[in-house]
Amino acid sequence: PYHVIKAPVLSEEASIQTAAHNKYTFKVNPDANKRQIKEAVEQQWPDVRVTAVNTMNYDGKIKRRGMSIKAGLTAKWKKAIVTLRAGDKIDLI
């Protein structure tokens, strides 16, 4: 499970989704599919059950490196929003 889930996303929008709809947001491995993400969450937190997984792929952005003209890319990444069964909860902090 630790190769699939990289880190939780702790943004304002993610906090609102957690409080209102019991949805948790994670940064995940770009090669992971929804089934692997579900199994990884349920293995890492054995007392929760996942009801749905939504994923989004983000491309890297073109950024300049300091004052030079050369451009580089930020890394591509994948985000997963995991919906838990009513009453289940994950303590991320």
Side-chain angles (χ1 to χ4, degrees):
Y2 299 104
H3 296 291
V4 176
I5 298 173
K6 292 185 175 181
V9 176
L10 300 174
S11 65
E12 186 175 358
E13 181 63 29
S15 300
I16 292 169
Q17 291 292 329
T18 299
H21 304 290
N22 206 22
K23 295 182 178 185
Y24 292 84
T25 306
F26 297 99
K27 203 175 213 186
V28 296
N29 187 340
D31 296 329
N33 59 30
K34 292 181 180 187
R35 181 172 291 163
Q36 291 171 337
I37 295 168
K38 176 182 177 178
E39 290 171 359
V41 169
E42 290 179 349
Q43 284 179 7
Q44 202 162 354
W45 293 280
D47 56 337
V48 301
R49 291 289 166 250
V50 176
T51 59
V53 177
N54 299 86
T55 59
M56 287 140 277
N57 288 305
Y58 291 94
D59 287 330
K61 295 181 181 178
I62 297 174
K63 299 277 187 169
R64 281 191 3 202
R65 294 182 183 198
M67 299 297 288
S68 70
I69 298 173
K70 294 182 182 179
L73 278 177
T74 59
K76 296 179 180 180
W77 63 288
K78 188 173 191 174
K79 177 169 80 172
I81 299 176
V82 177
T83 306
L84 300 182
R85 182 177 53 184
D88 287 351
K89 153 179 167 177
I90 297 174
D91 188 23
L92 295 175
I93 298 177

